[in-house]
């Protein structure tokens, strides 16, 4: 089996392993389920386009997040995303995995809402590290920031989130 | 349970809940079908394409192979001819032609930069070669912008762009220093000033990237990081040429040239400030503090004084006055940046203190 077939198989495996993560990230940023699903599809297609133009991809997972992030940034510039809070008020169903309980459905939405309420510059770093398990180095690669900056953003983002959580619980 | 432990539990609880947000089975299958269909319809074109770490690459894809041309060009013209003939035979003229229009990361890009462009440079005079190197440097910057628009400006590719830009800059600097040492200070100044102006204009253009552009804010910052080093380096070379010109008493034409260039530079910066350019982080000059507005007025007044000195043929004085105007503009820009960074710095200091406390525990 040659390199082309190997890479094709690897790429499709990467879809199975990362589709939910990319969807979740797009949903966190866009607050629109249909759009998040479309962006997930677009992310994988764009990455394949890149590979097709003979680009070398060393870390496919980080590259997927980089591409998704760039698509989301472009979308932000095109139109302002509806806040997740507004979506929740309208009773929008974000389609939690059917295997989860009703209690988890509610908590899942609230969880994303809390994470989405962190200021944007900290949100990606916090989300990518704690929800998706990317390393500091990978997050730096995705965002184009230095590793030191990412560490500072995570620390500061956690402080912000702590104050949000305390306000919510009081 | 104390507050910190409770916060931590709450946070990790939220993280676990957030992970439950997923595609439904139907959605996952639908997207997979679309992606795999796309993959089948658009197969990879080259055996090495998309290669993952550990795979064996052709030595011709190694950038270590190509710089041999640059080395031989400097050290032995005869050997260079032999290398070029060998490369053409081995690679083929078809490859060279196919390399045109490629970008960093493309398979034939090294052929374009290390062979096509180098061969073209061989036949240029020293003066034309310098201009050509500046054009090559600007091409590298433009390629970075195109890559950013195509979501292809990874850290690795950016580092390669920076390396190539540095290479072109080194050739320009060598040429300028050679001109200066041979007494052609005016040409030395003009080359370094032109380069600095081009790079400054590129920086401003990228900083003012429109919202509907293909380039994101982060990408614009990344591109400007590529431009910044050469811009600063060219400004240092330009200043050296200015100092040398001023130290001589008998080259009034050169003094006039540097005075006029300084005036144009200050005028451009003032125009941007008054128009509320985003590159100088301004909303409106009228909303600025009296102190900062005063700096702009001071620069305007100094330009008038400098213009008068120019018209009277007092070029040294004109240059000195325009330089003072430039310093006023820079003071304005620094004041502006300090307003933005003051609050950031105090937050950062607090975080450093917090981190030290955690380390100490």
């Amino acid at each position: 089996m040659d390199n082309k077939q190997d890479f094709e198989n690897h790429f499709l495996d990467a879809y199975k392993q990362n589709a939910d993560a990319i969807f979740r990230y797009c949903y966190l940023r866009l607050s629109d389920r249909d759009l998040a699903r479309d962006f997930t599809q677009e992310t994988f297609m764009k990455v394949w386009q890149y590979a097709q133009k003979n680009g070398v991809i060393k870390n496919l997972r980080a590259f997927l997040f980089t591409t998704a992030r760039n698509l989301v940034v472009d979308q932000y510039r095109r139109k302002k995303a509806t806040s997740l809070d507004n979506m929740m008020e309208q009773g929008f169903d974000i389609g939690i995995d059917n295997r989860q309980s009703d209690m988890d459905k509610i908590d899942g939405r609230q969880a994303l809402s809390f994470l989405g309420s962190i200021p944007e510059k900290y949100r990606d770093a916090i989300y990518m590290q704690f929800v998706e398990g990317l390393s500091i180095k990978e997050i730096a690669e995705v965002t184009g920031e230095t590793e030191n900056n990412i560490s500072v953003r995570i620390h500061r983002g956690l402080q912000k989130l702590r104050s949000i959580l305390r306000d919510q619980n009081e | 349970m104390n507050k910190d432990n409770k916060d931590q539990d709450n946070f990790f609880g939220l993280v676990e809940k957030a992970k439950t947000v997923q595609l439904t089975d139907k959605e996952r299958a639908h997207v997979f079908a679309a992606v795999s269909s796309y993959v089948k319809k658009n197969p990879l074109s080259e055996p090495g394409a998309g290669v993952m770490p550990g795979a064996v690459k052709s030595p011709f894809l190694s950038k270590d192979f190509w710089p041999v041309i640059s080395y031989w060009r400097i050290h032995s013209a005869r050997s260079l001819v032999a290398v070029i003939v060998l490369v053409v035979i081995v690679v083929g003229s078809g490859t060279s032609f196919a390399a045109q229009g490629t970008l960093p990361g493309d398979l034939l890009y090294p052929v374009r930069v290390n062979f096509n462009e180098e061969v073209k440079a061989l036949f240029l005079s020293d003066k034309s070669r310098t201009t050509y190197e500046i054009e090559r440097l600007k091409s590298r910057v433009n390629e970075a912008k195109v890559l950013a628009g195509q979501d292809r400006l990874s850290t690795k590719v950016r580092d390669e762009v920076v390396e190539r830009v540095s290479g072109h800059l080194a050739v320009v600097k060598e040429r300028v220093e050679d001109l200066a040492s041979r007494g052609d200070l005016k040409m030395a100044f003009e080359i370094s000033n032109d380069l600095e102006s081009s790079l400054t204009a590129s920086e401003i253009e990228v900083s003012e990237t429109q919202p509907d552009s293909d380039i994101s804010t982060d990408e614009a910052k990344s591109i400007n990081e590529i431009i910044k080093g050469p811009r600063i380096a060219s400004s240092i070379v330009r200043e050296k040429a200015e100092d040398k010109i001023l130290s001589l008493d008998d080259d009034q034409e050169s003094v006039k040239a540097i005075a006029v260039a300084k005036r144009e530079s200050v005028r451009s910066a003032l125009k941007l400030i008054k128009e509320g350019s985003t590159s100088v982080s301004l909303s409106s000059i009228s909303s600025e503090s009296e102190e900062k507005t005063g700096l702009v007025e001071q620069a305007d007044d100094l330009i008038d004084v400098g213009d008068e000195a120019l018209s009277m043929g007092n070029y040294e004085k004109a240059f000195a006055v325009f330089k003072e105007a430039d310093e006023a503009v820079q003071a304005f820009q620094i004041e502006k940046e300090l307003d933005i960074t003051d609050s950031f710095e105090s937050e950062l200091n607090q975080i450093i203190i917090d981190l030290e406390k955690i380390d100490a525990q």
Side-chain angles (χ1 to χ4, degrees):
Chain A
M1 190 177 285
D2 63 21
N3 264 346
K4 284 197 288 184
Q5 192 59 54
D6 281 345
F7 186 75
E8 188 179 305
N9 292 342
H10 179 83
F11 182 80
L12 293 174
D13 282 341
Y15 170 84
K16 290 169 190 166
Q17 288 161 24
N18 294 288
D20 283 332
I22 298 297
F23 167 76
R24 211 162 25 236
Y25 175 72
C26 292
Y27 188 76
L28 173 82
R29 297 297 303 271
L30 298 166
S31 307
D32 181 320
R33 185 182 183 79
D34 289 340
L35 204 54
R37 190 185 54 235
D38 290 346
F39 271 52
T40 303
Q41 181 174 312
E42 182 71 12
T43 296
F44 281 92
M45 286 180 172
K46 277 215 174 261
V47 169
W48 182 256
Q49 281 172 16
Y50 177 85
Q52 204 195 8
K53 287 174 190 170
N54 302 316
V56 176
I57 303 173
K58 281 191 177 171
N59 186 333
L60 190 49
R61 185 171 163 84
F63 198 86
L64 285 165
F65 273 97
T66 304
T67 306
R69 186 171 182 271
N70 288 336
L71 286 171
V72 163
V73 166
D74 283 346
Q75 178 67 12
Y76 268 179
R77 279 197 251 111
R78 285 193 201 100
K79 60 185 207 182
K80 191 174 176 182
T82 309
S83 73
L84 187 57
D85 282 348
N86 288 342
M87 302 291 286
M88 285 173 63
E89 282 167 16
Q90 291 160 20
F92 188 79
D93 181 4
I94 59 172
I96 303 296
D97 189 327
N98 292 334
R99 290 167 291 180
Q100 298 298 320
S101 68
D102 285 345
M103 185 60 73
D104 284 348
K105 278 188 194 178
I106 294 167
D107 287 341
R109 277 205 295 257
Q110 285 176 330
L112 271 187
S113 175
F114 280 129
L115 291 170
S117 62
I118 308 171
E120 189 183 330
K121 55 186 170 179
Y122 312 132
R123 181 176 51 205
D124 272 5
I126 295 271
Y127 178 84
M128 286 183 189
Q129 180 170 70
F130 291 102
V131 180
E132 305 302 348
L134 270 69
S135 66
I136 300 277
K137 187 177 173 186
E138 285 174 325
I139 298 169
E141 190 182 317
V142 170
T143 59
E145 298 283 347
T146 63
E147 290 178 37
N148 284 342
N149 272 355
I150 294 300
S151 298
V152 169
R153 287 189 184 196
I154 287 172
H155 178 83
R156 211 185 281 177
L158 286 174
Q159 286 182 321
K160 291 279 183 191
L161 191 58
R162 184 162 52 207
S163 65
I164 293 168
L165 284 169
R166 283 190 183 169
D167 288 345
Q168 289 280 343
N169 289 331
E170 278 164 11
Chain B
M1 179 187 288
N2 66 28
K3 264 192 173 179
D4 283 347
N5 285 344
K6 192 177 173 198
D7 288 342
Q8 187 169 298
D9 284 350
N10 282 340
F11 172 69
F12 285 108
L14 282 172
V15 165
E16 288 309 306
K17 294 295 184 292
K19 287 179 184 175
T20 63
V21 175
Q22 297 174 349
L23 291 160
T24 60
D25 291 344
K26 193 175 167 187
E27 285 171 331
R28 199 175 296 112
H30 178 79
V31 173
F32 180 77
V35 169
S36 59
S37 170
Y38 185 82
V39 165
K40 297 272 185 274
K41 286 179 189 167
N42 297 279
L44 295 172
S45 53
E46 289 292 332
V51 66
M52 308 308 289
V56 175
K57 284 168 102 172
S58 162
F60 289 103
L61 296 179
S62 163
K63 64 179 180 179
D64 292 334
F65 177 82
W66 296 101
V68 67
I69 293 177
S70 294
Y71 173 83
W72 281 109
R73 187 178 64 77
I74 294 167
H75 296 272
S76 168
R78 206 179 300 172
S79 300
L80 172 64
V81 170
V83 168
I84 289 174
V85 168
L86 178 64
V87 168
V88 169
I89 289 170
V90 170
V91 175
S93 58
T95 306
S96 169
F97 178 75
Q100 290 304 110
T102 52
L103 291 169
D106 293 342
L107 183 68
L108 293 179
Y109 181 75
V111 175
R112 176 185 161 196
V113 176
N114 293 335
F115 178 70
N116 291 7
E117 290 184 3
E118 287 287 333
V119 167
K120 184 177 171 182
L122 274 179
F123 303 102
L124 297 173
S125 65
D126 275 353
K127 182 180 172 182
S128 300
R129 174 63 198 258
T130 312
T131 309
Y132 182 57
E133 283 300 321
I134 294 175
E135 290 307 311
R136 288 178 81 187
L137 191 156
K138 291 196 280 188
S139 292
R140 301 294 90 85
V141 171
N142 286 334
E143 284 160 11
K145 288 185 205 169
V146 171
L147 286 173
Q150 294 176 0
D151 302 321
R152 288 172 59 191
L153 191 63
S154 66
T155 307
K156 180 173 179 271
V157 169
R158 190 186 64 186
D159 288 347
E160 284 176 14
V161 171
V162 168
E163 197 182 318
R164 292 191 189 280
V165 162
S166 299
H168 298 313
L169 183 66
V171 173
V172 173
K173 275 176 70 178
E174 193 186 327
R175 167 68 180 153
V176 167
E177 279 158 13
D178 183 55
L179 282 167
S181 69
R182 287 196 271 125
D184 195 349
L185 296 172
K186 188 159 174 272
M187 181 61 71
F189 166 77
E190 281 172 3
I191 289 172
S192 52
N193 189 53
D194 285 348
L195 177 58
E196 187 189 356
S197 302
S198 296
L199 293 171
T200 304
S202 282
E203 230 174 329
I204 292 169
E205 184 198 341
V206 170
S207 298
E208 292 178 347
T209 300
Q210 294 303 312
D212 57 355
S213 150
D214 290 336
I215 299 177
S216 67
T217 310
D218 288 347
E219 283 161 346
K221 270 189 204 165
S222 185
I223 294 167
N224 273 345
E225 284 298 314
I226 296 171
I227 299 172
K228 193 174 166 184
R231 188 208 9 106
I232 292 173
S234 58
S235 74
I236 291 170
V237 173
R238 190 249 315 144
E239 282 171 3
K240 274 187 188 167
E242 282 172 355
D243 289 344
K244 240 181 170 167
I245 287 169
L246 288 168
S247 70
L248 304 170
D249 288 329
D250 56 352
D251 190 359
Q252 286 299 295
E253 276 308 302
S254 295
V255 178
K256 182 181 177 184
I258 66 173
V260 169
K262 182 63 73 180
R263 180 187 65 181
E264 292 316 306
S265 166
V266 176
R267 272 190 179 162
S268 298
L270 278 173
K271 188 172 175 233
L272 287 172
I273 288 171
K274 289 171 186 173
E275 285 174 355
S277 160
T278 56
S279 68
V280 291
S281 306
L282 257 194
S283 50
S284 155
I285 183 71
S286 60
S287 67
E288 296 301 324
S289 68
E290 217 173 285
E291 187 184 337
K292 291 204 277 292
T293 311
L295 287 167
V296 172
E297 286 172 356
Q298 183 186 353
D300 272 334
D301 290 342
L302 285 166
I303 287 181
D304 289 342
V305 172
D307 280 343
E308 198 181 321
L310 259 185
S311 66
M312 291 173 63
N314 193 342
Y315 303 131
E316 280 90 354
K317 183 180 175 185
F319 177 79
V321 172
F322 291 139
K323 194 171 173 186
E324 206 179 319
D326 188 35
E327 284 161 8
V329 167
Q330 286 181 42
F332 173 92
Q333 289 164 338
I334 289 169
E335 286 292 318
K336 191 67 194 170
E337 283 183 25
L338 282 173
D339 287 348
I340 296 165
T341 59
D342 263 350
S343 59
F344 174 84
E345 279 188 3
S346 64
E347 279 190 63
L348 187 58
N349 285 337
Q350 185 55 49
I351 286 185
I352 291 170
I353 291 167
D354 289 346
L355 284 170
E356 284 169 355
K357 281 185 191 166
I358 291 169
D359 282 343
Q361 283 169 5

